[in-house]
Coordinates of all heavy atoms in Angstrom, one line a residue:
M1 N -34.8 78.6 37.8 CA -33.7 79.5 37.4 C -33.1 79.2 36.1 O -33.2 78.1 35.6 CB -32.6 79.4 38.5 CG -32.9 80.1 39.8 SD -32.8 81.8 39.7 CE -31.0 82.0 39.9
A2 N -32.5 80.1 35.5 CA -31.8 79.9 34.1 C -30.5 80.7 34.2 O -30.1 81.4 35.1 CB -32.7 80.6 33.1
H3 N -29.7 80.4 33.1 CA -28.5 81.1 32.9 C -28.8 82.4 32.1 O -29.8 82.6 31.5 CB -27.5 80.3 32.1 CG -26.8 79.2 32.9 ND1 -27.5 78.4 33.8 CD2 -25.5 78.9 33.1 CE1 -26.5 77.6 34.4 NE2 -25.4 77.9 34.0
T4 N -27.9 83.4 32.3 CA -28.0 84.6 31.7 C -26.8 85.0 30.8 O -25.7 84.7 31.2 CB -28.2 85.8 32.8 OG1 -29.3 85.5 33.6 CG2 -28.1 87.2 32.2
I5 N -27.0 85.6 29.6 CA -25.9 86.2 28.9 C -26.0 87.7 29.2 O -27.0 88.4 28.8 CB -26.1 86.0 27.4 CG1 -25.8 84.4 27.2 CG2 -25.0 86.7 26.6 CD1 -26.0 84.0 25.7
V6 N -24.9 88.3 29.7 CA -24.9 89.7 30.0 C -24.6 90.4 28.6 O -23.6 90.2 27.9 CB -23.6 90.0 30.9 CG1 -23.6 91.5 31.1 CG2 -23.8 89.3 32.1
T7 N -25.7 91.2 28.2 CA -25.7 91.7 26.8 C -24.5 92.6 26.6 O -23.9 92.5 25.5 CB -27.0 92.6 26.7 OG1 -28.1 91.7 26.9 CG2 -27.1 93.1 25.2
S8 N -24.1 93.4 27.6 CA -23.0 94.3 27.3 C -21.6 93.7 27.4 O -20.6 94.3 27.0 CB -23.1 95.4 28.4 OG -22.9 94.9 29.6
T9 N -21.5 92.3 27.8 CA -20.3 91.6 27.9 C -20.0 90.6 26.8 O -19.0 90.3 26.3 CB -20.2 91.0 29.3 OG1 -20.4 91.9 30.3 CG2 -18.8 90.3 29.5
C10 N -21.1 90.1 26.3 CA -21.1 89.1 25.2 C -20.3 89.6 24.0 O -20.5 90.8 23.7 CB -22.5 88.7 24.8 SG -22.6 87.6 23.4
E11 N -19.5 88.8 23.4 CA -18.8 89.2 22.2 C -19.2 88.6 20.9 O -18.6 88.6 19.8 CB -17.3 89.1 22.3 CG -16.8 90.0 23.5 CD -15.3 90.0 23.7 OE1 -14.6 89.3 22.9 OE2 -14.8 90.6 24.7
G12 N -20.4 87.9 21.1 CA -21.0 87.3 19.9 C -20.2 86.1 19.2 O -20.4 85.8 18.0
I13 N -19.4 85.4 19.9 CA -18.6 84.4 19.4 C -19.4 83.1 19.1 O -19.0 82.4 18.2 CB -17.4 84.1 20.4 CG1 -16.5 85.3 20.6 CG2 -16.6 82.9 20.0 CD1 -15.7 85.3 21.8
A14 N -20.4 83.0 19.8 CA -21.5 81.9 19.5 C -21.0 80.5 19.8 O -21.7 79.5 19.3 CB -21.9 82.1 18.1
D15 N -19.9 80.3 20.5 CA -19.7 79.0 21.0 C -20.8 78.3 21.7 O -21.0 77.1 21.6 CB -18.4 78.8 21.9 CG -17.1 79.2 21.0 OD1 -17.2 79.3 19.8 OD2 -16.0 79.4 21.7
C16 N -21.5 79.2 22.5 CA -22.6 78.7 23.4 C -23.7 78.2 22.6 O -24.5 77.3 22.9 CB -23.0 79.7 24.2 SG -23.6 81.3 23.4
V17 N -24.0 78.8 21.4 CA -25.2 78.5 20.6 C -25.2 77.0 20.2 O -26.3 76.3 20.4 CB -25.3 79.4 19.4 CG1 -26.5 79.1 18.6 CG2 -25.4 80.9 19.8
E18 N -24.2 76.5 19.6 CA -24.2 75.2 19.1 C -24.1 74.2 20.3 O -24.5 73.0 20.2 CB -23.0 74.9 18.2 CG -23.3 75.6 16.8 CD -22.4 75.2 15.8 OE1 -21.6 74.2 16.0 OE2 -22.3 75.8 14.7
A19 N -23.6 74.6 21.4 CA -23.3 73.7 22.6 C -24.7 73.5 23.4 O -24.8 72.5 24.1 CB -22.3 74.3 23.5
C20 N -25.5 74.4 23.3 CA -26.8 74.4 24.1 C -27.6 73.2 23.6 O -28.0 73.1 22.5 CB -27.6 75.7 24.0 SG -29.1 75.6 24.9
P21 N -28.0 72.2 24.6 CA -28.7 71.0 24.2 C -30.1 71.3 23.9 O -30.9 70.4 23.3 CB -28.5 70.1 25.4 CG -28.3 71.0 26.5 CD -27.5 72.2 26.0
V22 N -30.7 72.5 24.3 CA -32.1 72.7 24.1 C -32.3 74.0 23.1 O -33.4 74.4 23.0 CB -32.9 72.9 25.4 CG1 -32.9 71.6 26.2 CG2 -32.3 74.0 26.2
A23 N -31.2 74.4 22.5 CA -31.3 75.4 21.5 C -32.0 76.6 22.0 O -32.9 77.2 21.2 CB -31.9 74.9 20.2
C24 N -31.7 77.1 23.1 CA -32.5 78.3 23.6 C -31.7 79.6 23.6 O -32.0 80.5 24.3 CB -33.0 78.0 25.1 SG -31.7 77.9 26.3
I25 N -30.5 79.6 22.9 CA -29.7 80.7 22.8 C -29.9 81.4 21.4 O -29.7 80.7 20.3 CB -28.2 80.5 23.0 CG1 -28.1 79.8 24.5 CG2 -27.4 81.7 23.0 CD1 -26.7 79.4 24.7
H26 N -30.4 82.6 21.4 CA -30.8 83.3 20.2 C -30.0 84.5 19.9 O -29.5 85.2 20.9 CB -32.3 83.6 20.4 CG -33.1 82.4 20.7 ND1 -33.4 81.4 19.9 CD2 -33.7 82.2 21.8 CE1 -34.1 80.6 20.4 NE2 -34.4 80.9 21.7
P27 N -29.8 84.9 18.6 CA -29.1 86.1 18.3 C -30.0 87.4 18.6 O -31.1 87.4 18.3 CB -28.9 86.0 16.7 CG -30.0 85.1 16.3 CD -30.3 84.1 17.4
G28 N -29.2 88.4 19.1 CA -29.9 89.7 19.3 C -29.8 90.5 18.0 O -29.0 90.1 17.1
E29 N -30.7 91.5 17.9 CA -30.6 92.4 16.8 C -29.5 93.4 16.9 O -29.3 94.0 18.0 CB -32.0 93.1 16.6 CG -33.0 92.2 16.1 CD -34.3 92.9 16.0 OE1 -34.3 94.1 15.7 OE2 -35.4 92.3 16.1
G30 N -28.8 93.8 15.8 CA -27.8 94.8 15.8 C -26.6 94.5 16.7 O -26.2 93.3 16.8
K31 N -26.0 95.5 17.2 CA -24.8 95.3 18.0 C -25.0 95.7 19.5 O -26.0 96.5 19.8 CB -23.7 96.2 17.5 CG -23.4 96.0 16.0 CD -22.8 94.6 15.7 CE -22.5 94.5 14.2 NZ -22.1 93.0 13.9
N32 N -24.2 95.3 20.4 CA -24.3 95.7 21.7 C -23.4 96.9 22.0 O -22.9 97.5 21.1 CB -23.9 94.5 22.7 CG -22.6 94.0 22.6 OD1 -21.8 94.7 21.9 ND2 -22.2 93.0 23.3
Q33 N -23.3 97.2 23.3 CA -22.5 98.3 23.6 C -21.0 98.3 23.3 O -20.4 99.3 23.1 CB -22.6 98.7 25.2 CG -24.0 99.0 25.7 CD -24.8 97.9 26.1 OE1 -24.8 96.8 25.6 NE2 -25.5 98.1 27.3
K34 N -20.5 97.0 23.2 CA -19.2 96.8 22.7 C -19.0 96.9 21.2 O -17.9 96.9 20.7 CB -18.7 95.4 23.1 CG -18.2 95.2 24.5 CD -17.7 93.7 24.6 CE -17.1 93.5 26.0 NZ -16.7 92.1 26.2
G35 N -20.1 96.9 20.5 CA -20.1 97.0 19.0 C -20.0 95.7 18.4 O -19.7 95.5 17.3
T36 N -20.3 94.6 19.2 CA -20.3 93.2 18.6 C -21.6 92.6 18.5 O -22.6 93.1 19.1 CB -19.4 92.4 19.6 OG1 -20.1 92.1 20.8 CG2 -18.1 92.9 19.9
D37 N -21.7 91.5 17.9 CA -22.9 90.7 17.9 C -23.2 90.2 19.3 O -22.2 90.2 20.2 CB -22.8 89.5 17.0 CG -22.7 89.8 15.5 OD1 -23.1 90.9 15.1 OD2 -22.2 89.0 14.8
W38 N -24.4 89.9 19.6 CA -24.8 89.5 21.0 C -25.8 88.4 21.0 O -26.5 88.3 20.0 CB -25.1 90.6 21.8 CG -26.3 91.5 21.3 CD1 -26.2 92.3 20.3 CD2 -27.6 91.4 21.7 NE1 -27.5 92.8 20.1 CE2 -28.3 92.3 20.9 CE3 -28.3 90.7 22.8 CZ2 -29.7 92.5 21.1 CZ3 -29.7 90.9 22.9 CH2 -30.4 91.8 22.1
F39 N -25.9 87.6 22.0 CA -26.9 86.5 22.1 C -27.6 86.7 23.4 O -27.2 87.3 24.3 CB -26.2 85.2 21.9 CG -25.7 84.9 20.5 CD1 -24.5 85.5 20.0 CD2 -26.5 84.1 19.6 CE1 -24.1 85.3 18.8 CE2 -26.1 84.0 18.3 CZ -24.9 84.5 17.9
W40 N -28.8 86.0 23.4 CA -29.6 86.0 24.7 C -30.2 84.6 24.9 O -30.4 83.8 23.9 CB -30.7 87.0 24.6 CG -31.6 86.9 23.5 CD1 -31.5 87.4 22.2 CD2 -33.0 86.3 23.5 NE1 -32.6 87.1 21.4 CE2 -33.5 86.4 22.2 CE3 -33.7 85.7 24.5 CZ2 -34.7 85.9 21.8 CZ3 -35.0 85.2 24.2 CH2 -35.4 85.3 22.8
I41 N -30.4 84.3 26.2 CA -31.0 83.0 26.5 C -32.4 83.1 26.8 O -32.8 84.0 27.6 CB -30.2 82.5 27.8 CG1 -28.7 82.1 27.4 CG2 -30.9 81.3 28.4 CD1 -27.8 81.8 28.6
D42 N -33.3 82.2 26.3 CA -34.6 82.1 26.6 C -34.8 81.5 28.0 O -34.6 80.3 28.1 CB -35.4 81.4 25.5 CG -36.9 81.2 25.7 OD1 -37.3 81.6 26.8 OD2 -37.6 80.8 24.8
F43 N -35.1 82.2 29.0 CA -35.2 81.7 30.3 C -36.3 80.6 30.5 O -36.0 79.8 31.3 CB -35.6 82.9 31.3 CG -34.5 84.0 31.4 CD1 -34.9 85.3 31.6 CD2 -33.1 83.7 31.4 CE1 -33.9 86.3 31.8 CE2 -32.2 84.7 31.6 CZ -32.6 86.0 31.8
S44 N -37.3 80.7 29.7 CA -38.3 79.7 29.9 C -38.0 78.3 29.3 O -38.6 77.4 29.6 CB -39.7 80.2 29.2 OG -39.5 80.3 27.8
T45 N -36.9 78.3 28.5 CA -36.5 77.0 27.9 C -35.2 76.5 28.5 O -35.0 75.3 28.5 CB -36.3 77.2 26.3 OG1 -37.4 77.8 25.8 CG2 -36.1 75.9 25.6
C46 N -34.4 77.4 29.0 CA -33.0 76.9 29.6 C -33.3 75.9 30.6 O -34.1 76.1 31.6 CB -32.4 78.2 30.2 SG -30.9 77.8 31.1
I47 N -32.5 74.9 30.6 CA -32.6 73.8 31.6 C -31.5 73.9 32.7 O -31.3 73.0 33.4 CB -32.6 72.3 31.0 CG1 -31.4 72.2 30.1 CG2 -33.9 72.2 30.2 CD1 -31.2 70.7 29.6
D48 N -30.7 75.0 32.6 CA -29.7 75.2 33.6 C -28.6 74.2 33.6 O -28.1 73.8 34.7 CB -30.4 75.2 35.0 CG -30.1 76.6 35.7 OD1 -29.5 77.5 35.2 OD2 -30.5 76.6 37.0
C49 N -28.2 73.6 32.5 CA -27.2 72.6 32.4 C -25.8 73.1 32.6 O -24.9 72.3 33.0 CB -27.3 71.9 31.1 SG -26.8 72.9 29.7
G50 N -25.6 74.3 32.3 CA -24.2 75.0 32.6 C -23.2 74.8 31.4 O -22.1 75.3 31.5
I51 N -23.6 74.1 30.3 CA -22.7 73.9 29.2 C -22.3 75.2 28.6 O -21.1 75.5 28.3 CB -23.4 73.0 28.2 CG1 -23.5 71.6 28.8 CG2 -22.4 72.9 26.9 CD1 -24.2 70.6 28.0
C52 N -23.2 76.2 28.4 CA -22.8 77.5 27.8 C -21.8 78.1 28.7 O -20.8 78.7 28.1 CB -24.0 78.4 27.6 SG -24.9 78.6 29.1
F53 N -21.9 78.1 30.0 CA -21.0 78.7 30.8 C -19.5 78.1 30.6 O -18.6 78.8 30.7 CB -21.5 78.5 32.3 CG -20.6 79.1 33.3 CD1 -20.6 80.5 33.6 CD2 -19.7 78.3 34.1 CE1 -19.8 81.0 34.6 CE2 -18.9 78.9 35.0 CZ -18.9 80.2 35.4
Q54 N -19.6 76.8 30.5 CA -18.3 76.1 30.4 C -17.5 76.4 29.0 O -16.3 76.6 29.0 CB -18.4 74.6 30.4 CG -18.9 74.2 31.8 CD -19.3 72.7 31.8 OE1 -18.9 71.8 31.0 NE2 -20.3 72.3 32.6
V55 N -18.3 76.6 27.9 CA -17.7 76.8 26.6 C -17.5 78.3 26.3 O -16.7 78.6 25.4 CB -18.5 76.2 25.5 CG1 -18.7 74.7 25.7 CG2 -19.9 76.9 25.3
C56 N -18.1 79.2 27.0 CA -17.9 80.6 26.6 C -16.5 81.1 27.0 O -16.0 81.0 28.1 CB -18.9 81.4 27.4 SG -18.7 83.2 26.9
P57 N -15.8 81.7 25.9 CA -14.4 82.1 26.2 C -14.3 83.6 26.8 O -13.3 84.0 27.1 CB -13.8 82.1 24.8 CG -14.9 82.5 23.9 CD -16.2 81.8 24.5
V58 N -15.4 84.2 26.9 CA -15.4 85.6 27.4 C -15.8 85.6 28.9 O -17.0 85.3 29.3 CB -16.4 86.4 26.6 CG1 -16.3 87.9 27.1 CG2 -16.0 86.4 25.1
E59 N -14.9 85.9 29.7 CA -15.1 86.1 31.1 C -16.2 87.0 31.5 O -16.3 88.1 31.1 CB -13.8 86.4 31.9 CG -14.0 86.2 33.4 CD -12.6 86.5 34.1 OE1 -11.7 86.7 33.5 OE2 -12.6 86.5 35.4
G60 N -17.2 86.4 32.3 CA -18.3 87.3 32.8 C -19.4 87.5 31.8 O -20.4 88.1 32.1
A61 N -19.3 86.8 30.6 CA -20.4 87.0 29.6 C -21.6 86.1 30.0 O -22.8 86.5 29.7 CB -19.9 86.5 28.3
I62 N -21.4 84.9 30.7 CA -22.5 84.1 31.1 C -22.6 84.0 32.6 O -21.5 83.8 33.2 CB -22.5 82.7 30.5 CG1 -22.6 82.9 29.0 CG2 -23.5 81.8 31.1 CD1 -22.6 81.6 28.2
L63 N -23.7 84.3 33.2 CA -23.9 84.1 34.6 C -24.7 82.9 34.9 O -25.7 82.6 34.2 CB -24.5 85.4 35.2 CG -24.0 86.7 34.9 CD1 -24.7 87.9 35.5 CD2 -22.4 86.8 35.4
Q64 N -24.4 82.2 36.0 CA -25.2 81.0 36.4 C -26.4 81.3 37.2 O -26.6 80.6 38.2 CB -24.2 80.0 37.0 CG -23.1 79.5 36.0 CD -22.2 78.4 36.6 OE1 -21.4 78.7 37.4 NE2 -22.5 77.2 36.2
E65 N -27.0 82.3 36.8 CA -28.3 82.7 37.6 C -29.1 83.6 36.6 O -28.7 84.0 35.5 CB -27.9 83.6 38.8 CG -27.2 84.8 38.5 CD -26.7 85.5 39.7 OE1 -27.3 85.3 40.9 OE2 -25.9 86.5 39.7
E66 N -30.4 83.6 36.9 CA -31.3 84.4 36.1 C -31.3 85.8 36.4 O -31.7 86.2 37.5 CB -32.8 83.8 36.2 CG -33.7 84.4 35.2 CD -35.0 83.6 35.2 OE1 -35.0 82.3 35.2 OE2 -36.0 84.2 35.1
R67 N -30.8 86.7 35.5 CA -30.7 88.1 35.7 C -31.3 88.9 34.6 O -30.5 89.4 33.7 CB -29.2 88.5 35.9 CG -28.5 88.0 37.1 CD -29.1 88.6 38.4 NE -28.9 90.0 38.4 CZ -27.8 90.7 38.8 NH1 -26.8 89.9 39.3 NH2 -27.7 92.0 38.7
P68 N -32.6 89.0 34.5 CA -33.2 89.8 33.5 C -32.8 91.2 33.3 O -33.0 91.9 32.3 CB -34.7 89.6 33.7 CG -34.8 89.2 35.2 CD -33.5 88.4 35.5
D69 N -32.3 91.8 34.5 CA -31.8 93.1 34.5 C -30.5 93.3 33.7 O -30.1 94.5 33.2 CB -31.6 93.6 35.9 CG -30.7 92.7 36.8 OD1 -30.8 91.5 36.6 OD2 -29.8 93.3 37.4
L70 N -29.8 92.2 33.4 CA -28.5 92.3 32.7 C -28.6 91.8 31.3 O -27.6 91.9 30.6 CB -27.4 91.6 33.5 CG -27.0 92.1 34.9 CD1 -26.1 91.2 35.5 CD2 -26.5 93.5 34.7
Q71 N -29.7 91.1 30.9 CA -29.8 90.6 29.6 C -30.9 91.2 28.8 O -32.0 91.0 29.2 CB -30.0 89.1 29.7 CG -30.2 88.4 28.4 CD -30.6 86.9 28.5 OE1 -29.7 86.0 28.5 NE2 -31.9 86.6 28.6
R72 N -30.5 91.7 27.7 CA -31.6 92.1 26.7 C -32.1 91.0 25.9 O -31.3 90.0 25.8 CB -31.1 93.2 25.8 CG -31.1 94.6 26.4 CD -30.2 95.6 25.7 NE -30.4 95.7 24.2 CZ -29.5 96.1 23.3 NH1 -28.3 96.6 23.8 NH2 -29.7 96.2 22.1
T73 N -33.3 91.0 25.5 CA -33.8 90.0 24.6 C -34.2 90.5 23.3 O -34.5 89.8 22.4 CB -35.0 89.3 25.3 OG1 -36.0 90.2 25.6 CG2 -34.7 88.5 26.5
S74 N -34.2 91.7 23.1 CA -34.3 92.5 21.8 C -33.7 93.8 21.9 O -33.3 94.2 22.9 CB -35.9 92.6 21.5 OG -36.4 93.5 22.5
S75 N -33.6 94.4 20.7 CA -32.8 95.7 20.6 C -33.7 96.8 20.8 O -34.9 96.7 21.0 CB -32.0 95.8 19.4 OG -32.8 95.5 18.3
Ligands
LIG101 S1 -22.2 84.2 25.6 FE1 -20.1 83.8 25.2 S2 -20.1 82.0 23.8 FE2 -22.1 82.9 23.8 S3 -22.1 84.3 22.1 FE3 -21.6 85.6 24.0 S4 -19.4 85.5 24.1 FE4 -19.9 84.0 22.6
LIG102 S1 -27.5 76.6 30.8 FE1 -27.7 74.9 29.3 S2 -29.8 75.0 28.6 FE2 -29.3 77.0 29.6 S3 -28.6 78.3 27.9 FE3 -26.8 77.3 28.8 S4 -26.4 75.5 27.5 FE4 -28.6 76.2 27.1

C-alpha cells in the first residue's frame, strides 16, 4: 500500500515534497481542477511512512491508502 494525493484537492503547497524521506512525490503538469499546482506520489516507491500526511495543510489532500482512481500521475 501507498499514500495517495487527491489530484483535485491538492493545492500545490509542496510541504510534502521536501518532507518525504524517499523523494517519491513529483510535480504534475499544468493545473488541477482547482487551478493550482498539484503533486503525485509514486506508489512503487512510497514506503507508507505517513510524514506527508502529517505535514500537508490541506484537509483531504492526502489519503493513507492507495487510491489510483483519485490520483492522476500525468496531465
Ligand atoms: S499534498 Fe498537500 S502538502 Fe503536498 S503539494 Fe498537495 S497540498 Fe501541498
Ligand atoms: S507516505 Fe512517506 S514515503 Fe509515501 S509519499 Fe508520503 S512521505 Fe513519501
Side-chain angles (χ1 to χ4, degrees):
M1 286 287 279
H3 280 49
T4 296
I5 294 177
V6 180
T7 303
S8 60
T9 305
C10 177
E11 296 184 5
I13 296 160
D15 289 351
C16 58
V17 176
E18 291 192 9
C20 177
V22 295
C24 70
I25 304 177
H26 307 290
E29 288 179 30
K31 305 293 182 187
N32 64 7
Q33 294 96 317
K34 278 185 175 176
T36 71
D37 294 334
W38 57 284
F39 288 80
W40 58 278
I41 292 170
D42 181 348
F43 293 146
S44 66
T45 308
C46 175
I47 57 171
D48 235 6
C49 68
I51 293 172
C52 57
F53 179 81
Q54 292 168 32
V55 301
C56 178
V58 179
E59 188 172 359
I62 296 182
L63 304 179
Q64 296 187 282
E65 59 185 344
E66 189 169 317
R67 290 291 302 274
D69 54 320
L70 297 176
Q71 178 188 264
R72 279 162 51 199
T73 55
S74 63
S75 48

